[in-house]
Structure formats: structure tokens, C-alpha cells
């Protein structure tokens, strides 16, 4: 519980009251990933306080996760797309998938072999 409170306090201090991050996820390297649908961006904050902002003409990024290989997956609810980014001198788009009605969240399996997408528009995972 103390770690959770620390992460929430840390993110609130870092982002400030005027900004509105929507989802938070832990990165495999110990950092955090914040999806901000209002500002249409994703931020990755590393343990050493460095950060990377990912912008890709997102419509409404609702959730983001990173796998062990460092790939970033961003669920863009407004565009109804799942984006994959690889890290090569910054995060570069590597492709996207569509076909959802209202994708809301995503998660990686513990072994990082499966990526789950929650689509509340079609009531499916």
C-alpha cells in the first residue's frame, strides 16, 4: 500500500493539478507509463526521473503498456486502434490494428506472451 501511495503522489507532483492523466501502468524496468487522453499523449517516466513523451496524432489514448523488449503498446480509444511502437532513437510507430467498437483498456499477461484488449463496445476481451 505504501508503494501505491508513493506512485500516486509522485505522479500527481510530476504532472501537476492542471493536467489529467487517465491510466497508469508499471513498466518492466520499474518506471511508470501514463496515458493522457485530454492532451493526446503518453509519457514514460523512468526511475531516474527522466521521461519520454510519445505523440502520434492520437485521438484519445486511454491506456499504454510496455513489454520486456521495450515495445510500447498504446490503446487509442478515439481512433479505435491499438498502436505498437519500437524504440529506435525514440519510439517509432511499428503498426496498428483496428476493428474495435470502444476499446477501453489493455494488459499484458505475466509472461508477456499475450496482450489483452478490453472492448466495452462489443463486450469482448
Amino acid at each position: 500500500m505504501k508503494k501505491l501511495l508513493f506512485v500516486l503522489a509522485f505522479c500527481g507532483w510530476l504532472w501537476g493539478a492542471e493536467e489529467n492523466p487517465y491510466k497508469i501502468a508499471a513498466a518492466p524496468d520499474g518506471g511508470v507509463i501514463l496515458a493522457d487522453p485530454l492532451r493526446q499523449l503518453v509519457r514514460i517516466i523512468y526511475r531516474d526521473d527522466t521521461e519520454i513523451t510519445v505523440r502520434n496524432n492520437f485521438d484519445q489514448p486511454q491506456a499504454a503498456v510496455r513489454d520486456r523488449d521495450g515495445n510500447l503498446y498504446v490503446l487509442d480509444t478515439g481512433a479505435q486502434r491499438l498502436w505498437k511502437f519500437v524504440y529506435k532513437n525514440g519510439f517509432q510507430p511499428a503498426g496498428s490494428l483496428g476493428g474495435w467498437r470502444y476499446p477501453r483498456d489493455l494488459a499484458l499477461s505475466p509472461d508477456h506472451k499475450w496482450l489483452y484488449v478490453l472492448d466495452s463496445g462489443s463486450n469482448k476481451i
Side-chain angles (χ1 to χ4, degrees), residues 39-110:
R39 295 182 57 213
Q40 300 176 337
L41 57 84
V42 172
R43 282 196 180 166
I44 302 168
I45 304 163
Y46 297 96
R47 292 179 69 167
D48 64 359
D49 291 334
T50 59
E51 65 179 81
I52 294 176
T53 300
V54 180
R55 298 176 190 268
N56 188 53
N57 295 322
F58 295 123
D59 188 0
Q60 194 176 22
Q62 293 266 336
V65 295
R66 282 184 61 204
D67 64 18
R68 288 185 192 133
D69 297 327
N71 299 312
L72 175 70
Y73 298 90
V74 177
L75 190 61
D76 189 351
T77 297
Q80 300 180 0
R81 301 199 71 74
L82 172 68
W83 290 91
K84 178 182 179 182
F85 295 87
V86 295
Y87 191 82
K88 293 180 183 175
N89 297 324
F91 283 98
Q92 305 298 323
S96 68
L97 295 172
W100 289 283
R101 292 180 55 202
Y102 193 67
R104 299 277 307 227
D105 206 356
L106 63 128
L108 279 167
S109 64

